[in-house]
């Protein structure tokens, strides 16, 4: 069967908005799923905005640390480009994952992201 929709869960990871500071995305609970990928999209960059993004992990959903490079699939440039799309996967063993936006300079970036949770323990996924 070619049905993907019934076998993935999609939740917001970073609410689409103009970001002017470093910040953390939403905690993604991976319970009931064996995989997660983040789809990140950017819009306009103002004032030579120099923003990056990284994956963080947590056992409890409240205390996050940067995920080891070996637990992250894919790469994004150190400075995100305007009007671009990126993907990152998390293959670590913690229950929670999230994105964290970093800022090295500039004014702002329009950014949003979703988490695509896959390989569910039970399907179809509502």
């Amino acid at each position: 069967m070619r049905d993907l929709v019934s076998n993935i869960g999609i939740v917001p990871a970073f609410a689409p908005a103009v970001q002017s500071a470093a910040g953390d995305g939403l905690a993604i609970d991976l319970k009931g799923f064996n995989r997660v990928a983040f789809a990140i999209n950017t819009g306009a960059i103002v004032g030579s905005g120099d923003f990056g993004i990284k994956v963080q992990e947590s056992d409890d959903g409240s205390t996050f640390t940067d995920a080891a490079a070996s637990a992250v699939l894919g790469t994004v440039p150190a400075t995100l480009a305007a009007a671009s799309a990126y993907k990152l996967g998390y293959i670590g063993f913690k229950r929670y994952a999230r994105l964290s936006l970093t800022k090295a300079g500039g004014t702002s970036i329009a950014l949003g992201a979703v988490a695509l949770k896959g390989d569910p323990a039970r399907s179809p996924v509502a």
Side-chain angles (χ1 to χ4, degrees):
M1 182 190 241
R2 296 167 45 123
D3 175 20
L4 178 62
V5 171
S6 298
N7 293 297
I8 59 173
I10 298 178
V11 294
F14 225 106
V18 173
Q19 307 292 336
S20 60
D24 298 320
L26 301 171
I28 307 302
D29 188 352
L30 302 176
K31 184 176 181 180
F33 293 87
N34 292 312
R35 302 174 192 189
V36 66
F38 294 97
I40 305 140
N41 61 324
T42 62
I45 294 175
V46 175
S48 299
D50 186 356
F51 291 84
I53 200 147
K54 60 187 175 181
V55 176
Q56 295 185 322
E57 62 186 4
S58 171
D59 285 319
D60 61 10
S62 62
T63 305
F64 283 84
T65 58
D66 292 352
S70 60
V72 178
L73 299 176
T75 58
V76 295
T79 299
L80 300 173
S84 296
Y86 305 99
K87 62 182 177 179
L88 291 172
Y90 172 69
I91 59 171
F93 296 101
K94 305 283 185 173
R95 178 170 170 179
Y96 298 88
R98 74 176 179 195
L99 295 174
S100 182
L101 184 67
T102 62
K103 179 181 180 182
T107 303
S108 65
I109 186 171
L111 179 132
V114 295
L116 296 94
K117 302 188 293 183
D119 194 12
R122 291 184 169 188
S123 63
V125 175

